[in-house]
Amino acid sequence: GFNGNGHKITGLSINRPGKDSMGLFGQISDATIENVYIADGSVIGEDSCGSIIGYSYHSSITNCCNESVNVKGRSYAGGIIGSVYSTTITKCRNSANVESSDDKAGGITGWTKDISKLSICKNSGSITSQKNHVGGITGYNNGTLENCFNEGNITAYSYAGGIAGSNNVSGKIDRCISIGNISVTNLGENNYGGICGYTDGTANVTNNIITD
């Protein structure tokens, strides 16, 4: 595991367009990452890019913060982690901007895959994509999001939500709040919302609050 002990990391610079899994840690598996604070810099890559971790498998991430490391990728771009699978993320916050040129961008994760859980996370950065699946907490959710808060602005072509851009059949969103502005350029399909841009009919979305 790695414990940053709250020390401030400054000047993170990763500029590798065309390369996957970019971040302070590229890929982790069966790991514990906690108390990492990144103050400034930028991360540019292809798929699965985040300020702290590119891709996480079966790991635990706690009390990590991205203050102003802007993240830019093609797909699966996240303010903290690009893509997560079977990972728990607790008390993490992002205030930097995240941008994907294709799809799946989120304030904490770009893609939250099965058996993953995000709790007590906060985003205040602007999250944008030229295409689909953009959310204040995650772009595309197959896991559980609970007690999360978004105040960042969300912009996409379609499937834009204050918490998740899209919420798949196995996704659960509970007790989350969003006060960010949501905008899409494709207005014809009603595919944007204060909590989710799209949710599967059998997915679980409960006890959430939106304000403007």
Side-chain angles (χ1 to χ4, degrees):
F2 180 85
N3 190 335
N5 288 315
H7 295 294
K8 183 181 291 188
I9 299 170
T10 61
L12 178 68
S13 179
I14 299 173
N15 186 6
R16 302 191 70 188
K19 299 294 184 180
D20 296 341
S21 300
M22 293 292 103
L24 179 66
F25 301 95
Q27 294 186 12
I28 64 170
S29 179
D30 297 295
T32 299
I33 307 293
E34 55 188 344
N35 303 317
V36 176
Y37 182 100
I38 304 186
D40 55 51
S42 67
V43 173
I44 300 173
E46 187 83 349
D47 294 343
S48 297
C49 297
S51 65
I52 296 176
I53 302 162
Y55 181 88
S56 172
Y57 175 80
H58 201 258
S59 296
S60 174
I61 319 300
T62 305
N63 197 34
C64 292
C65 173
N66 174 16
E67 185 174 331
S68 59
V69 178
N70 294 330
V71 177
K72 187 174 183 179
R74 185 183 69 170
S75 296
Y76 323 134
I80 302 294
I81 310 173
S83 298
V84 298
Y85 183 89
S86 187
T87 291
T88 60
I89 304 169
T90 308
K91 295 182 179 178
C92 291
R93 59 187 176 91
N94 172 68
S95 55
N97 298 331
V98 179
E99 179 183 353
S100 69
S101 59
D102 198 337
D103 62 7
K104 298 183 180 68
I108 304 298
T109 67
W111 190 359
T112 303
K113 299 184 182 181
D114 297 349
I115 327 172
S116 292
K117 184 176 182 179
L118 278 66
S119 302
I120 320 174
C121 293
K122 177 183 177 181
N123 173 65
S124 57
S126 294
I127 316 300
T128 63
S129 172
Q130 295 178 23
K131 292 190 179 178
N132 309 320
H133 312 302
V134 182
I137 300 300
T138 190
Y140 196 93
N141 182 47
N142 294 80
T144 297
L145 313 177
E146 64 180 21
N147 296 309
C148 293
F149 177 78
N150 172 64
E151 60 182 352
N153 295 329
I154 311 301
T155 304
Y157 175 74
S158 63
Y159 302 109
I163 300 299
S166 292
N167 190 45
N168 200 14
V169 59
S170 59
K172 179 181 178 181
I173 302 175
D174 185 41
R175 291 167 289 166
C176 293
I177 299 173
S178 179
I179 62 173
N181 294 322
I182 315 297
S183 62
V184 294
T185 54
N186 178 17
L187 295 173
E189 298 180 6
N190 295 321
N191 46 22
Y192 58 98
I195 298 298
C196 305
Y198 166 83
T199 189
D200 187 277
T202 60
N204 195 343
V205 180
T206 55
N207 304 312
N208 299 288
I209 299 172
I210 56 173
T211 64
D212 55 20

